[in-house]
Amino acid sequence: MTSPEAKGPKVPPSYPPRTPPPQKKPVEPPRPQPATKSADGMPVRTRPRMVVRNRRTAAHPFRADAWAPAKAVRQVLETVRGWGYPALDEEDLASAVRLLVTSAVADGGKRLSVHLGDQDRKVLVAVLSHTTGAPDHIVLGTVALLATVDSVGTDTGEDGRRMWAVLDGEPRRRPVRHAAAVSG
């Protein structure tokens, strides 16, 4: 009796061997962990994550495109109006958001996010570009010149550049100037 392999000439199969399908999404490499020590052995300070607690907050994510500043202004104004700031100068808020978002778009990332918070009748506007970019002191100086802006700032970390402005929601008392009586 002969074995089944010895019955005749060996013929290759008429179909290709089955191969596994390609992956739908490529495997993402692990994210880099921040170093705890530098090359010279000194500990490295890591930037703390931004934490806003015990107050109203809102977050608005956007694609970093040419339309992001207008969309951000519209959504931020709607959110802050819902919080009830009747004395807040909406023109200053819109200008601050527009300038900060435009600067974040210029960083060249794919996305950005606008985070809002309020406390003690002040509104925090923080814009994260989610990519590293150089600090733009011209933009920060322009935002700082707005009448209702109390403070501005920026820093850069592993999650990207963060810029913020704090706006005063209460009306400021401006000195009243009286015209001197002119006698003729």
Side-chain angles (χ1 to χ4, degrees):
M1 201 167 179
T2 62
S3 65
E5 294 84 26
K7 281 190 176 182
K10 194 165 191 169
V11 179
S14 60
Y15 54 88
R18 182 170 172 97
T19 58
Q23 292 180 344
K24 293 181 181 178
K25 184 177 175 185
V27 176
E28 184 178 325
R31 295 186 180 200
Q33 298 298 320
T36 56
K37 294 195 176 196
S38 65
D40 59 356
M42 298 297 292
V44 175
R45 265 183 80 194
T46 58
R47 178 179 81 164
R49 293 187 56 93
M50 184 173 77
V51 178
V52 180
R53 293 187 183 146
N54 301 328
R55 61 191 66 113
R56 291 180 289 199
T57 61
H60 301 288
F62 300 100
R63 285 185 47 198
D65 56 18
W67 298 277
K71 290 179 187 177
V73 167
R74 215 172 25 253
Q75 290 185 17
V76 166
L77 286 176
E78 181 180 320
T79 300
V80 173
R81 283 181 191 139
W83 289 350
Y85 281 92
L88 181 68
D89 187 350
E90 288 187 356
E91 289 180 23
D92 280 358
L93 178 62
S95 296
V97 170
R98 187 175 296 107
L99 288 166
L100 295 174
V101 171
T102 302
S103 182
V105 169
D107 286 346
K110 293 181 180 179
R111 62 189 177 100
L112 61 95
S113 55
V114 178
H115 300 266
L116 303 171
D118 77 332
Q119 181 178 11
D120 299 330
R121 306 308 295 168
K122 294 183 187 280
V123 176
L124 165 70
V125 178
V127 178
L128 282 79
S129 65
H130 300 284
T131 186
T132 56
D136 192 344
H137 298 293
I138 296 171
V139 169
L140 293 177
T142 306
V143 172
L145 290 175
L146 296 172
T148 58
V149 172
D150 280 349
S151 63
V152 299
T154 184
D155 67 348
T156 303
E158 68 275 354
D159 59 344
R161 183 164 67 124
R162 174 170 62 195
M163 299 169 286
W164 68 88
V166 177
L167 289 88
D168 195 353
E170 293 293 321
R172 291 187 181 175
R173 294 187 174 199
R174 303 192 194 282
V176 178
R177 296 184 180 162
H178 298 284
V182 179
S183 58

